[in-house]
Amino acid sequence: MFVIFGTKGYLYQLAILTLVCGQCGNPAAHTLRKRVTKFTLFFVPLFPFSTKYQTQCTFCGAEQKVSAEQAEQLQAQSAGGPGGLGGQSQGQPQQQRYQS
């Protein structure tokens, strides 16, 4: 009898935020991503055993790891910021300095 097991990775884009990049210093769009690795048995994903969050600058491509709490805060900011415009207020882009 053979048992086939392994892992499979999933990448989810949670939000796009306007932040000041800690690497290049430019105010640019950053994608907030969630990477989930699941255990598979006979090629069927059963349960997640690793979840990681990261942001990536669209200007320079720098990636920075963030904690689950920081990811939740950033995602809440993008969804329900002041003015109810998805994190932007009165036409002004929301800019925050992110440092790891």
Side-chain angles (χ1 to χ4, degrees), residues 81-92:
L85 297 173
Q88 297 192 1
S89 59
Q90 307 296 343
Q92 294 285 355

Side-chain angles (χ1 to χ4, degrees), residues 37-57:
T37 305
K38 294 186 178 184
F39 175 78
T40 61
L41 183 63
F42 293 105
F43 306 104
V44 177
L46 295 178
F47 57 88
F49 69 86
S50 172
T51 302
K52 298 178 182 177
Y53 296 90
Q54 69 182 18
T55 61
Q56 182 177 20
C57 177

Side-chain angles (χ1 to χ4, degrees), residues 29-97:
H30 285 66
T31 56
L32 177 62
R33 296 179 178 163
K34 175 180 171 181
R35 182 178 305 273
V36 179
T37 305
K38 294 186 178 184
F39 175 78
T40 61
L41 183 63
F42 293 105
F43 306 104
V44 177
L46 295 178
F47 57 88
F49 69 86
S50 172
T51 302
K52 298 178 182 177
Y53 296 90
Q54 69 182 18
T55 61
Q56 182 177 20
C57 177
T58 58
F59 189 81
C60 69
E63 295 181 355
Q64 296 177 338
K65 294 179 183 178
V66 295
S67 67
E69 294 81 21
Q70 289 174 326
E72 287 178 16
Q73 289 174 352
L74 290 170
Q75 192 173 9
Q77 246 179 348
S78 71
L85 297 173
Q88 297 192 1
S89 59
Q90 307 296 343
Q92 294 285 355
Q94 180 182 10
Q95 297 180 7
Q96 297 180 355
R97 188 154 203 59

